[in-house]
Each structure stands twice: as C-alpha cells, then as structure tokens.
Amino acid sequence: MDPVSRDLDRETGHPWPEREATADLQTQMGDMQIAGGEDMLLDDYDVIDEKQDVAEITPEGSTDEPTEPLADDYAAMKERVLAKLPDLEPEFETTYTWHIENYKNLTRKERGPKFECGGHPWRILLFPFGNNVEYASLYLEQAHEDEDKPKEGWYACVQFSLVMWNKTDPSIYSCHTANHRFNAEESDWGFTRFSELRKMFAAQWDGAGRPMVEHDAVNVTAYVRIYKDPTGVLWHSFENYNSKKETGMVGLKNQGATCYLNSLLQSLYFTNAFRKAIYRIPTEHETEKKNSAWALQRLFYLLQTSEDAVSTQELTHSFGWETRHIFEQQDVQELSRILMDRMEVRMKGTDAENALNKMFVGKMKTYISCIHVEYESSRIEDFWDIQLNVSGNRNLDDSFRDYVQVETMDGENKYFAEGHGLQDARKGVIFESFPQVLHLQLKRFEYDINRDAMMKVNDRYEFPEVFDATPYLSEGADRSEPYLYQLHGVLVHSGDLTAGHYYAFLKPAIDGHFYKFDDDKVIRATLKEALEENFGGDYANGVNGAGVRNPYTRTLSTKRSMSAYMLVYIRKSREKDILVDVTEDDTPAHLARQLDEERAALEKRRKEREEQHLYLHVHVVTDDNFKAYQGFDLTSWDTDSNAPSSPQIYRVLKNSTVGDFTRTVAEPLQVPPEHARLWAMVNRQNKTIRPDQPLPDLNMTITEAYSRFSTREKPFRLWVETATTIKEGQALWPNVNPSPAIAAPVLIFLKYFNPDDQTLKGVGHVYMRKTSKVAEMIPAIQQLMGWSPSRDPVSMSSPPSSGLPSPPYSTPSAGMCLYEEIKHSMIEPMKAKATLQQAEIQDGDIVCFQRALSETEASAIASTGRYTDAREFYDYLMNRIMVRFSPKLGPEHEGSVFDLALSRKMSYDQFSAKVGEYLKVDPTHLRFSTVLASTGKPKAPIRRGQASTLAQMLMPALGTYANANQRPDQLFYEVLEMSISELETKRNMRVTWLPEGVMKEEPMDVLAPKNGLVQDLISLIQRKVNLPEQDVSKLRIFETHQCRIGKDLDPKTIIASIPDYAVLYAELVPEEERVASDEDRAMYAFHFDKEPAKTHGVPFKFVIKPRELFKDTRERLSKRTGIKGKQFEKLKFAITQRSAYSRPTYLNDEDELYAMASRADDQLGLDHVNRTRLFPGKGDSIFIR
C-alpha cells in the first residue's frame, strides 16, 4: 500500500536543523526521495548516504538568524519551518498535533488521527522504533480509504514539516521539512531517519536538561501547505509521464548526443509556416532514405500524429551521418544554416520557392562613409541569423548597439576613397530590414586568451519577451510596419564546453503557454522558467557559499550553468501568418498513406511474432526456381526472396495437413492438387541440400512431416514435383519404393552448361533405372532440350581425367559431356558405360551436361576470357563474389557506381579488364583502392602485382595491417591520365603553393618522375598554377620539418632523395629578397604558440636590413606574411634559436633585429595563438548529404 522510497534526510546534532537556501527549487525538490511504507523494508538501506542534505527552504534574500520559537507557538513555528516558496501560490494550509501516550507500548507502525486539508484527509504515520533503522521514522500520509478513493489522476503538491516536541517543555523539539507531489502511487512521504532513538530517550536532549520522550509521551505536529500547480508538473517524478496526454505534444528521442538537433527541430516544427513550406516540397516519388526533405516531412508528420516520442534516425541517416556523428555535439547555427540551404534547394521550381527567404532572411548594410567628403562605399547583404556578443553586454539591446557600433577610421587608419585620396571615415553595419522570424545566436562560447581555451560565457544576459528592433534600422528603412518582435523560443544549453545538454522553451500558440521540450519529454513551463532562469549569471542565493552542483560536469558553481544560446522572435504583425494552423489538407497525402502502410506492416509483424509458436515456415522450391537458378544445388536459400530462382516461403499452421498444404502450393502452379507431389529435402553430409523422398501420407500434419522427414533444427524444405504423365485425369507417379529395390527409378536433376552464353541453369528432371547406363541419359536429355539426334550424336566424349580441367575436344564419336555435381568443390566426369548404380547415383543427384566443343570452338571462346568447360565454370561460381565499384574522385552520378560478379581468383589485370570493359576505358589506366569499413572512405591504392588475387586484395591475411577495418566487397576506382605501369615510375609529391605570403595555402598533388630533378617538379608546378614562363626562374621550393624551414631545394636535387616525411612549400621569391643589397641578410621565421616548441603555421624566409628599427621591420613583415590589421597587432615577435628549448627574446619597436640576430642559428619567431587547436575534441565539420 505504502511505497518505500530512499531516505534523504540527514542527522543533525542541533535542536534546530541548519537551513539551506536553494536557487532551483523545482530541480532540488524533484530529485528528493524520502522513505515511507507499511510492512516493506528498505533492502538497500545500508548503502544510503546518511549525510545527504534534507531539503529545507529559506526565502530568497533572508540573511538574519531568526529567534527560536516554541513548538506550541504554532503560528511562529509555521513561519520558521514552513517558509513560503517564491513564485508559488498557496491554496490550502493547516496545522495538526498528534498527542502520543504510552510510547514504549506502541506497535511497530502507528497511524495518527485523520485531519483535513484541501478537502482531503491526511494523517501522520509513525514507526516508533524505526522502519528497519535505529531511528524513529515519521511520514505524512494521505488517508483515503479503499471505499473513499480520490478520483483518477488526483494529486496534491504539498510542502510539509513534521515537528516532534516535548509536551512539557516545547523548547525541546526536532523537525524536518520536505516538498512532495502526493498521488495514488506515492501516498506517503517523510523521513526514515527522523530522530535517533538513543537520543530521544536519553536523560538530556542536547543539553536541555530533559529527554525528548518524557513520561512515555511526546507530541508530533504536522504543518501542511498545499500549493497550486502552475505547470501541472510541480515536483513531478516523471515516472510514467505521458507528454501527449499532459500537453498534446510529443518529444524527440535522443540518439546519443543529438539533444542540440532535437531542440532546433522542435523550434522549426513549431514555426508553423516553415512546417507548411516543407510539406509543399514534392516528395511522393522520392521515398529514399537519402532524401532529407522527405525525411523531414515524415518527422514533422509523426510529431503531429504520434502518441509517443519520435525518432530522428531517418533524418540523420538522410544527412549521411554515421554513428560517430550521432555522438558528437555540433554547432546549432551551422546545422540550421545548412539545413535551410538544403531545403531551399529542394524548393526551387516548386510552389514553395522563396518561402524560406520571405520567412527567415533580412538585409544588412556594411558601409564606409567619409566624414568630410560626399563618398560612401556600401554593400547590402542577406542574413539568416545574427550572431550577438554576450561577453561585455548586459542585455539584448546592448548586444545590438555593440553590433551596429560605428568605428572611426582616422590617423594612420584612414580610408582611401576613390577620387578623394585618404579620408577620415566611419565604418559600420546597419540593418535595412529584419525577417518575419528572427533567429538570434548568442555567442555563449568564446576563446579565453588567459586560459588559452574556448570557454562558456555564463554571465547574466537578459532578453525581453517583446523586443523592439526599430532603433537598429537605417534611416531609409521601410517602417510602414512596426518592428516589434514577440519571443517564440529560447534554446538553452546547460553545462560547459566539455559536457552539457540542450533543450528548448517554445510557445506554440500566440496566446498560449511556454513548454519545455527536453528530448522525449514535453513539459508545461512558466514564463520565469523560459526567460529569467535562462539569463545566466549568479544564483539568487548561494547554498552555504559553495555553489550549486552542475548535473553534467558534477562540479560546484555559483553561476547558473543553464543559459540561452539561441533566441527565436516572431514579428508581432506577422504572428498569425507564421503561427498559422496546420491542417490535414496541408499534409501531403502520401505521407499518411506510407505511414499507415508501415504501421500496418509493423502490426502484422507483431501479430506474427505473437502467433509464431502456432506456425511453421516452409520453404518450397519448384521446377521454375530450378530453371531460373545459376549456381550449386537446386536453388540458393539465401538470395533475395523476389528473385525468380528463390524458393517461396509459406507460413503454415502446424496442425494443418500435408494435403491442405499441397493445395496451397498447387494453386500458384495452376495445377490440380492431385497433380502435385511434395518431396522432403535433407541436408546431406557433403553440405548439399537435395530431395530425399516424397511425403507418403496426405493426412499427416505438417508438424509430423517435419519431425519425420526433415533435418532437425533446420527450416522445413520441400521440392514440389508436378506430374508429367496423366491418365484419365490421374497423375501416374513413378514408384520409388518397388520390390525388388533394384527396379526402383532414380530421380535425377539436369543442368545445362552453355559455353557460348556462359550460363549454367537447370533444365528439368528425369527418372532412370538404377541398372541404366550413364550414356542412356543422352536421349532423355535430347528430348528434354528439343535437340535432334541427327544434329547431336548420342555419344559421349571423354574429358581429360588428370591434371587441371581442360575443354572437351571433339572426337569422331564426341557429342556430349556429362558431369556429376557431387558438391561445390567436387564436379566429376561420368563414365558412359557405367551403370547409375555403379556411379552411385541416388534420388536428388544432379548431372550437368554440355555440348562437346571442337578445338577451334574452344580456342575462340577461351580467347575472349570465357570458360569452355563446365568444371571451370563451376570453379568460377564457387569463387564468385559481387564487388561494388565507386568513383574515388568527383561526385557519384548515374552509372558511376556499379556491381560486377568476379572470381576471387582473378589477378589485378583480369578484374581490371572487366571493369574497363564496363566503363569502356583502357584497363591499364585504372587504379583501385580498398575501402575503410568504419567510414566508407578510401584506404591506400592497391599495388598492381601479378601474384595477388582479388580475394587477397579484398581480404588480406588476418593479423596484417591491411586487414584492419576493410570492406571485403567494395573498391574505389580512378581513371588515370597514364597507365599504371607509367604511374609506377612516378612519385606523388604533396606541395603547398603560397600565392600570397603565408596566409593563403593551396595544397596540390604533383606526379613527378622518381628519377627526376627538383627542376622537373618546378616545371610541373608551373603548369598547375598557370605561372608565366618568365616567372619560372623566381619559383623556389623549400622543405620544412615541424613547421620550421629545413632548407631550400636546389633545382638539381634528385627527387628520390627528398624524404617522405618532408613537408614541401612552393612560392615566388619576394621582390625585396631578389633586390637585397650585400649588407642585407636572410633570416628564417616561424610561428609558435607561447613556447618555441609549440610550432604551427607556414614558416618563411625574411630579409633583415642593418640599422632598421623594428617598428619599420614590422611593416615589412606585415607585407611579407599577408597578415594585416588587428590580426597583425596581436602578434608578438621574438628572436629564438633552432633548438626547440631555447628561450625567446621578445622585440620592442626600438630594437634593431639585424644587430640582435647575430648568431648563425637565430630565427625570428611570431608568437600567436594556434587557431587550429582550439577545438581538440571536435569532430569534422557538420554536413548534410
């Protein structure tokens, strides 16, 4: 009756427990669990932390220690122990005291008299000697009896305090306070360790001169206050919480770390005009999982119609994301922009074209305006969202003022105005218009130069419910409609840079409430929860100065970890257009149809699973399957069920009869049931599956037939035979069990190998006597094939009996070759004069035949790479593998990705010839690469070697490096400009071209002759970058190691001598270096981050001049590197030595670099932040396929 929960109270050594303030009451109290119960015991009691804090509430701003009231002064005690909670409205409250006598004679569990509060009965529940602990246990319990149960769904949000006090001296008391949501499932709540029994009966209670329980009596007072529930989830445990039932909306499932995606998708979904625009994209005939528009439509429709949280797997799969992307937190702004871009592309040419532009795009003007002359340079650009600084700004208006702040360009920073020369000017940004839906990205994550890392900005930052954007418009902007914006959504991040969680507060209706969308839960929220609690900044009250524990980082902080990072505002004059109702007519009809079909299929599968024990799956192979099949045995049991050669799978009731099932099988064959006979197929020891015997009794059940005639623990497989001899409407079946047994006919299946078409397929079956000779099968074969005996002699050729399989050459008596298919790896020629009994032929055996070839015919077939002998073709089938080929470079297009059936034994040249034939290119110009299984990206190219087979290339030996994480059925291909043989004489050189200082890098791959010179490499680079002939002499290549220059490469250097690990750069020698005087010196320069050992960037050579102050040298350095403006001002310069552990000597403007850099190994270091390492744990840039 009474559930026992875990205890969260703490033992205090004082008559009055220490009060603790909390900033996030709902969070703290929602997590609190306190024990209670009837006869249940707390099994894991010993593992509970007895020192956990009880939730006791102090009003915000309270600092003075109140005077101690007496326990019988109920009004004063209530003020003390039951302080009103901020932002909550009390509905009912009461005080009741239970006078307990004869304490030591009480039973294990006692209930006090009932009292009323809020129209419902309550009482105190006491375990006088402890609920399985050495403490008195006290609980508050709702006192509804079975005959007086509250209505379904009843609950009460109760703040209560239980006070135990000495009835003679009310200054002696102990109390505990808690909040709880009482309902039918959680009907009692309180304190398992209310007061230690030893202390209660001690002679003195905390030095008060008398015990708590005196004269075997004590009083317990309950202070109860019931609050109104503003959101419907106050102090909710969220067990069995139903979002759809409570709010009418459903959430999105988190795949791992996709909470950021869920919050954005919910925001877009409740931007109703966006949802309607997405629905207008035509996708009826594009139901592919790679189609993002189709997947987004389905997701939105499921959010409309589903009763449970919806998965985003289809959508992320359509993006092309792999598992690793699911577990990486990505940038929401980048995701939003890419998603919008993809949807906009899909809308082109449809009636939804430009819908997103009208909704989300505004215009801003970037300008430079001269102060003293009439000249302005400006550019108007579209924007989808606005990034606003949080750091240094108190609120949204501060950020906008910072965004449109005007910069004055004067002094050395004057602006060059065409026709006016250098002028003082004003530079800035102003808005020409704002969109109907305004997305504001708050820059909560910034680089902290002091910590040298990205950090989250948790400063307090306020944003209003209604925002006026008018002050930030240009003078000429259209103001015919007010630019007042209503807050629609707040996307929140809780945590820090390394760990956190995303959720959203959204207001779906114009006059509605805010709701919290936290992955799969949707919860009603207050305006304060949506706004003020996401401003960030310090908590209103610190908890003992220690801060509040972040649930994601597990660290204490006095600043709120939850703060808004994206705001969605809707223009008030367009709210009705944006939050327009989405009706059934707006939803594409095919979505509902497809999902109804999928749900019906799911329901069917569920029902099948439930009834699975009543049914048996029976696989039936027919003559048609056998004739359509090319391979071993009668059919393949693993192929696609839609293939003509695949057996039909029936779901048959176990208690149905063989006769019933025969009628079912005969119907699609369009034969009467009595003209069909079922044979049981068995697994032979040689791993083949062949018909064994017909099912003799049509009245036996399917279960009985399975147990008697099939191989146990295998599917029930049958072959259906249709009668070929019919007399007076009755099928005449050969007697397979005659007496004597020697007269029994043998069922033989026949396959025909056609060397011209390179096919091996079934043609039917025949019955032969065991005493018949092998050669006697030839007339039956000719009759089955419709061959004339005059055209095909009824004689057999004798294929070679030793060595490798050879083509059957025609002899004067040659006509046909017969082989027995014993198993996959054993195809044996048959002797013409041997009897079937001597050849050990039995029911279900397979004989393959082919027409004998003349030497000329065989040579012609072999010359085209085809097989002339059935045994060779069987060997090909055994080693056949389907390989998918995809282009390594460039986008995929129709026909560029294809599958080929190849033999595992093929050499590089053989399968290259097959691919070349398909692509219609020279096979010698094809290069292949294996595929990385985890990412689907190319591995290293395959080296062309005659000794390697295709199997060895696709599946290297276990334990080798090449075997690791490699796809065994896929290759990438490249069509090269030269043959593989010629390519092997080349070396791929990765060179980075520097066209403008060191700021712009253009990596390129150059195929240079292995035995060539650097001069040859220079010529190839010249052609790559389209360098004029007169500039070739100015081009140089230098080699670097660990971001420092090693040496310039002499044009006569042999390419083979350049180490593989060297990083090469190419540039034009700067003019100042070409015209340097004899006094000038060249000095190597490099970039580092605080320590010379932490190098990064592109090193370079720089000319230093005698008697030049460093402030002048800085100007030349700016020109040499291409780094300018504020970015250059952040650089610090130092002289350091080549040794990684040298100390840098930093330079001032008045220093002379030429004089100070006197040592031969002195180098110039540029000290600045390495931007490439600011996100060490970040994955690849987000993408949507």
Side-chain angles (χ1 to χ4, degrees):
M1 174 179 169
D2 300 330
V4 178
S5 304
R6 63 185 179 88
D7 173 45
L8 263 188
D9 65 327
R10 74 183 156 111
E11 181 65 25
T12 66
H14 306 282
W16 191 265
E18 180 183 357
R19 294 290 174 256
E20 295 186 351
T22 176
D24 191 353
L25 176 65
Q26 182 170 340
T27 301
Q28 183 163 336
M29 301 315 295
D31 289 340
M32 184 167 137
Q33 305 264 337
I34 305 173
E38 180 145 351
D39 296 323
M40 299 175 65
L41 300 180
L42 194 60
D43 296 333
D44 57 349
Y45 184 79
D46 292 338
V47 303
I48 292 176
D49 182 2
E50 298 185 10
K51 295 184 180 180
Q52 284 185 282
D53 293 342
V54 66
E56 297 167 357
I57 312 306
T58 299
E60 292 192 8
S62 175
T63 57
D64 297 334
E65 186 67 24
T67 58
E68 295 285 350
L70 298 178
D72 59 355
D73 185 353
Y74 297 127
M77 280 296 290
K78 184 169 68 174
E79 289 296 321
R80 179 72 169 176
V81 302
L82 213 64
K84 289 185 179 180
L85 302 176
D87 305 315
L88 292 177
E89 181 183 351
E91 192 171 17
F92 307 101
E93 59 183 52
T94 192
T95 302
Y96 176 79
T97 299
W98 178 17
H99 303 281
I100 303 172
E101 304 288 341
N102 299 318
Y103 192 98
K104 293 181 180 177
N105 294 325
L106 296 176
T107 62
R108 178 179 178 275
K109 178 166 65 173
E110 295 285 346
R111 287 186 168 88
K114 293 183 182 180
F115 60 93
E116 189 270 339
C117 185
H120 296 280
W122 303 86
R123 62 190 169 201
I124 299 169
L125 173 63
L126 169 65
F127 288 79
F129 307 106
N131 185 10
N132 201 35
V133 291
E134 296 296 324
Y135 290 75
S137 303
L138 269 177
Y139 308 91
L140 178 67
E141 178 184 56
Q142 59 96 350
H144 286 284
E145 304 295 343
D146 290 341
E147 64 276 5
D148 185 30
K149 287 184 177 179
K151 63 180 181 180
E152 185 179 355
W154 171 86
Y155 68 90
C157 298
V158 180
Q159 178 194 23
F160 66 95
S161 182
L162 298 178
V163 181
M164 179 182 284
W165 52 285
N166 184 300
K167 63 188 302 180
T168 305
D169 183 356
S171 67
I172 298 174
Y173 55 80
S174 176
C175 75
H176 292 287
T177 304
N179 303 337
H180 183 61
R181 184 186 185 92
F182 286 85
N183 54 41
E185 289 75 29
E186 295 181 349
S187 58
D188 59 83
W189 206 254
F191 313 94
T192 300
R193 287 186 175 91
F194 185 87
S195 185
E196 191 175 1
L197 292 172
R198 178 180 56 81
K199 292 180 63 179
M200 288 170 57
F201 291 96
Q204 294 191 38
W205 174 270
D206 285 344
R210 57 203 317 163
M212 172 70 77
V213 181
E214 189 173 19
H215 306 305
D216 209 22
V218 73
N219 290 343
V220 177
T221 300
Y223 298 90
V224 180
R225 180 180 292 134
I226 299 177
Y227 283 95
K228 290 182 178 179
D229 184 359
T231 62
V233 293
L234 180 62
W235 304 325
H236 204 300
S237 66
F238 293 106
E239 291 183 14
N240 303 317
Y241 178 76
N242 188 319
S243 295
K244 187 77 170 185
K245 180 181 176 182
E246 300 296 334
T247 66
M249 296 168 282
V250 297
L252 293 168
K253 295 177 183 177
N254 192 329
Q255 296 186 51
T258 56
C259 49
Y260 71 98
L261 173 66
N262 292 349
S263 60
L264 176 65
L265 290 174
Q266 291 282 22
S267 170
L268 294 174
Y269 171 79
F270 284 106
T271 307
N272 295 356
F274 175 81
R275 195 191 331 166
K276 290 184 72 167
I278 294 298
Y279 282 156
R280 287 158 61 192
I281 300 175
T283 60
E284 185 171 6
H285 304 294
E286 301 180 18
T287 54
E288 295 182 5
K289 289 189 175 181
K290 292 183 179 181
N291 188 330
S292 299
W294 175 75
L296 189 59
Q297 283 182 347
R298 281 171 61 92
L299 180 73
F300 282 177
Y301 183 76
L302 285 170
L303 284 172
Q304 280 180 209
T305 60
S306 179
E307 296 295 319
D308 303 304
V310 178
S311 171
T312 57
Q313 282 187 333
E314 278 188 346
L315 184 66
T316 55
H317 187 275
S318 74
F319 291 170
W321 291 3
E322 300 163 359
T323 303
R324 64 189 180 89
H325 297 113
I326 301 303
F327 291 94
E328 290 174 357
Q329 293 282 8
Q330 302 285 0
D331 181 67
V332 176
Q333 181 191 22
E334 186 183 4
L335 172 65
S336 175
R337 286 183 179 179
I338 296 173
L339 182 61
M340 292 285 191
D341 182 58
R342 294 295 182 272
M343 294 305 105
E344 197 179 20
V345 170
R346 292 306 311 275
M347 289 177 181
K348 285 185 177 177
T350 72
D351 60 352
E353 188 170 1
N354 292 325
L356 300 188
N357 266 296
K358 293 175 184 176
M359 211 180 309
F360 296 103
V361 174
K363 293 187 181 296
M364 66 168 68
K365 181 173 77 171
T366 304
Y367 65 88
I368 300 177
S369 178
C370 292
I371 297 173
H372 304 298
V373 297
E374 290 291 330
Y375 183 88
E376 180 179 286
S377 171
S378 63
R379 182 176 70 253
I380 295 179
E381 298 174 308
D382 291 344
F383 68 87
W384 288 80
D385 52 39
I386 304 172
Q387 289 193 62
L388 298 174
N389 288 321
V390 172
S391 183
N393 295 308
R394 295 173 301 167
N395 53 43
L396 196 60
D397 281 302
D398 281 356
S399 291
F400 266 95
R401 283 191 286 269
D402 176 55
Y403 198 93
V404 300
Q405 184 178 7
V406 177
E407 175 190 350
T408 302
M409 304 175 69
D410 56 11
E412 295 182 356
N413 196 31
K414 286 185 177 182
Y415 174 67
F416 181 82
E418 189 174 348
H420 301 281
L422 292 173
Q423 294 288 330
D424 293 342
R426 296 186 181 92
K427 178 182 178 182
V429 173
I430 196 71
F431 292 96
E432 293 294 321
S433 67
F434 289 100
Q436 299 175 25
V437 181
L438 181 60
H439 282 182
L440 302 178
Q441 306 285 345
L442 307 182
K443 296 167 72 173
R444 283 285 180 183
F445 298 96
E446 286 191 351
Y447 174 71
D448 188 325
I449 193 167
N450 295 319
R451 292 183 175 91
D452 187 21
M454 293 294 289
M455 300 294 292
K456 184 179 178 184
V457 179
N458 281 319
D459 298 345
R460 183 175 177 85
Y461 180 88
E462 299 178 6
F463 47 89
E465 189 178 3
V466 177
F467 170 63
D468 185 2
T470 308
Y472 314 110
L473 288 167
S474 68
E475 293 181 2
D478 179 7
R479 288 178 168 81
S480 56
E481 258 182 75
Y483 280 93
L484 287 177
Y485 283 84
Q486 179 71 43
L487 184 66
H488 172 67
V490 181
L491 277 63
V492 180
H493 177 267
S494 177
D496 62 15
L497 182 72
T498 57
H501 180 59
Y502 293 84
Y503 49 90
F505 289 93
L506 301 171
K507 186 179 175 184
I510 295 175
D511 299 319
H513 303 283
F514 274 96
Y515 291 85
K516 181 181 180 181
F517 292 81
D518 188 354
D519 286 338
D520 56 354
K521 285 196 290 289
V522 183
I523 306 163
R524 168 91 176 272
T526 63
L527 187 63
K528 180 181 178 183
E529 288 174 325
L531 273 75
E532 186 178 332
E533 292 188 3
N534 298 307
F535 287 166
D538 295 332
Y539 285 103
N541 271 335
V543 181
N544 293 332
V548 174
R549 187 174 299 280
N550 186 312
Y552 305 104
T553 63
R554 311 305 301 164
T555 57
L556 292 171
S557 174
T558 58
K559 284 187 177 291
R560 292 179 183 270
S561 65
M562 69 288 290
S563 52
Y565 71 93
M566 178 175 169
L567 304 175
V568 181
Y569 281 94
I570 297 177
R571 196 171 182 181
K572 287 180 72 70
S573 59
R574 301 296 179 93
E575 272 189 301
K576 290 183 180 179
D577 298 330
I578 299 301
L579 299 182
V580 63
D581 290 338
V582 180
T583 65
E584 191 67 29
D585 293 337
D586 296 317
T587 308
H590 68 274
L591 286 181
R593 185 174 63 252
Q594 290 168 3
L595 289 167
D596 286 344
E597 291 171 358
E598 290 173 13
R599 287 168 181 154
L602 283 172
E603 179 61 23
K604 181 181 177 183
R605 286 198 293 272
R606 184 195 63 78
K607 190 174 180 181
E608 287 177 355
R609 284 195 301 271
E610 289 179 353
E611 300 175 349
Q612 190 171 358
H613 63 287
L614 302 174
Y615 290 85
L616 183 70
H617 284 92
V618 182
H619 299 238
V620 178
V621 60
T622 66
D623 280 340
D624 289 339
N625 300 141
F626 178 54
K627 292 175 182 178
Y629 176 61
Q630 178 165 280
F632 299 98
D633 279 349
L634 271 65
T635 187
S636 172
W637 305 99
D638 303 320
T639 55
D640 179 11
S641 58
N642 295 320
S645 61
S646 296
Q648 183 68 37
I649 301 174
Y650 293 88
R651 190 166 174 260
V652 187
L653 277 169
K654 291 181 178 179
N655 59 4
S656 62
T657 65
V658 171
D660 294 335
F661 184 56
T662 303
R663 284 189 285 275
T664 302
V665 172
E667 185 177 349
L669 297 176
Q670 298 181 350
V671 298
E674 56 272 16
H675 293 178
R677 180 165 68 164
L678 299 178
W679 285 64
M681 301 184 74
V682 297
N683 291 61
R684 294 183 177 178
Q685 290 184 349
N686 62 6
K687 298 182 180 180
T688 60
I689 303 172
R690 305 287 174 84
D692 184 57
Q693 58 180 304
L695 300 182
D697 184 2
L698 296 179
N699 294 318
M700 74 169 68
T701 64
I702 289 294
T703 303
E704 185 181 355
Y706 174 61
S707 61
R708 286 179 57 186
F709 299 104
S710 180
T711 307
R712 287 300 185 94
E713 300 179 1
K714 298 289 184 182
F716 193 17
R717 297 183 174 115
L718 300 174
W719 171 64
V720 58
E721 177 186 12
T722 54
T724 55
T725 305
I726 300 170
K727 185 175 182 180
E728 297 178 358
Q730 295 296 317
L732 300 180
W733 303 108
N735 185 4
V736 294
N737 295 307
S739 182
I742 193 68
V746 181
L747 172 66
I748 302 173
F749 290 89
L750 298 172
K751 289 183 180 179
Y752 171 52
F753 171 59
N754 187 335
D756 296 320
D757 299 339
Q758 296 289 287
T759 56
L760 175 69
K761 292 187 177 181
V763 294
H765 65 276
V766 296
Y767 282 95
M768 302 291 295
R769 294 183 181 277
K770 290 184 178 180
T771 55
S772 300
K773 292 185 178 181
V774 171
E776 293 177 25
M777 283 195 291
I778 293 179
I781 292 172
Q782 289 174 329
Q783 182 179 356
L784 199 63
M785 297 295 292
W787 289 345
S788 164
S790 60
R791 176 172 174 260
D792 297 284
V794 292
S795 58
M796 290 180 57
S797 67
S798 299
S801 58
S802 61
L804 295 174
S806 303
Y809 296 108
S810 179
T811 64
S813 61
M816 198 176 296
C817 298
L818 273 63
Y819 306 89
E820 182 188 358
E821 183 185 313
I822 300 172
K823 60 179 181 179
H824 296 182
S825 58
M826 189 179 293
I827 313 298
E828 298 292 339
M830 301 181 72
K831 296 178 181 179
K833 296 181 180 180
T835 64
L836 297 181
Q837 188 174 20
Q838 291 171 335
E840 298 181 354
I841 298 297
Q842 63 186 47
D843 285 330
D845 281 353
I846 298 174
V847 172
C848 172
F849 64 93
Q850 73 169 97
R851 183 173 59 84
L853 301 176
S854 67
E855 188 173 353
T856 304
E857 289 174 319
S859 298
I861 292 172
S863 65
T864 59
R866 292 178 293 167
Y867 302 100
T868 58
D869 184 278
R871 289 171 294 175
E872 291 180 348
F873 195 75
Y874 268 109
D875 182 71
Y876 158 72
L877 292 179
M878 188 170 66
N879 291 285
R880 180 174 54 179
I881 181 175
M882 293 300 296
V883 182
R884 169 153 292 187
F885 292 89
S886 305
K888 183 176 180 179
L889 305 174
E892 295 179 0
H893 55 83
E894 186 176 355
S896 65
V897 179
F898 54 92
D899 297 326
L900 289 181
L902 304 171
S903 172
R904 290 182 177 88
K905 293 184 175 181
M906 281 183 169
S907 66
Y908 188 103
D909 289 341
Q910 287 174 325
F911 80 79
S912 179
K914 292 285 186 182
V915 177
E917 181 182 354
Y918 179 89
L919 294 173
K920 296 180 175 56
V921 299
D922 188 343
T924 62
H925 285 57
L926 287 172
R927 182 167 66 171
F928 303 93
S929 302
T930 51
V931 181
L932 200 61
S934 58
T935 63
K937 293 181 179 178
K939 292 181 71 176
I942 299 172
R943 296 181 67 86
R944 177 173 171 267
Q946 297 294 335
S948 297
T949 64
L950 178 60
Q952 292 169 334
M953 298 173 202
L954 289 171
M955 294 169 286
L958 289 173
T960 62
Y961 175 77
N963 180 267
N965 197 17
Q966 182 171 306
R967 286 286 300 268
D969 58 353
Q970 186 176 354
L971 291 173
F972 283 104
Y973 68 87
E974 303 169 78
V975 181
L976 305 176
E977 297 177 357
M978 62 186 73
S979 68
I980 293 290
S981 301
E982 185 181 354
L983 182 65
E984 289 173 351
T985 67
K986 307 284 186 182
R987 176 179 171 182
N988 186 53
M989 307 291 289
R990 170 58 66 96
V991 182
T992 301
W993 169 243
L994 304 173
E996 301 171 9
V998 298
M999 291 297 292
K1000 187 176 180 181
E1001 302 176 47
E1002 296 179 3
M1004 64 179 74
D1005 289 310
V1006 182
L1007 283 174
K1010 289 181 179 178
N1011 298 324
L1013 304 177
V1014 170
Q1015 184 61 54
D1016 301 323
L1017 181 59
I1018 290 174
S1019 299
L1020 292 168
I1021 293 172
Q1022 177 214 351
R1023 291 197 288 272
K1024 281 264 187 182
V1025 300
N1026 296 319
L1027 199 65
E1029 193 66 38
Q1030 62 270 23
D1031 289 341
V1032 174
S1033 60
K1034 305 173 187 175
L1035 195 151
R1036 73 167 164 215
I1037 301 175
F1038 58 93
E1039 178 184 314
T1040 70
H1041 305 279
Q1042 297 180 340
C1043 300
R1044 293 177 185 245
I1045 294 179
K1047 62 180 178 181
D1048 290 353
L1049 294 180
D1050 188 280
K1052 295 182 180 179
T1053 301
I1054 300 173
I1055 289 176
S1057 66
I1058 302 173
D1060 293 334
Y1061 56 81
V1063 179
L1064 303 182
Y1065 290 92
E1067 66 172 355
L1068 290 176
V1069 178
E1071 184 178 358
E1072 71 170 4
E1073 192 175 330
R1074 296 198 303 270
V1075 299
S1077 67
D1078 294 339
E1079 284 188 290
D1080 295 344
R1081 275 202 327 260
M1083 186 178 191
Y1084 286 150
F1086 69 99
H1087 307 262
F1088 68 93
D1089 189 348
K1090 293 188 176 179
E1091 299 175 16
K1094 296 179 179 179
T1095 57
H1096 62 90
V1098 182
F1100 58 96
K1101 188 186 284 188
F1102 179 65
V1103 174
I1104 57 176
K1105 298 179 178 293
R1107 298 172 296 281
E1108 181 184 58
L1109 296 180
F1110 193 70
K1111 63 180 181 181
D1112 299 321
T1113 308
R1114 286 172 62 94
E1115 293 181 10
R1116 291 195 299 110
L1117 277 166
S1118 175
K1119 183 178 179 182
R1120 174 69 178 92
T1121 59
I1123 306 174
K1124 298 177 181 177
K1126 291 183 179 179
Q1127 191 176 0
F1128 187 78
E1129 291 172 7
K1130 294 178 182 178
L1131 301 183
K1132 292 187 288 185
F1133 299 88
I1135 297 175
T1136 181
Q1137 285 71 49
R1138 180 173 289 275
S1139 169
Y1141 302 102
S1142 63
R1143 270 192 174 180
T1145 302
Y1146 286 93
L1147 297 164
N1148 299 314
D1149 283 352
E1150 302 306 316
D1151 291 333
E1152 290 186 20
L1153 176 59
Y1154 190 93
M1156 294 178 67
S1158 57
R1159 294 174 52 173
D1161 62 342
D1162 279 344
Q1163 295 189 351
L1164 178 63
L1166 284 66
D1167 182 1
H1168 58 104
V1169 174
N1170 180 7
R1171 295 286 177 183
T1172 62
R1173 65 174 183 84
L1174 293 184
F1175 298 93
K1178 195 74 172 174
D1180 294 340
S1181 178
I1182 197 169
F1183 66 92
I1184 298 178
R1185 178 166 53 195

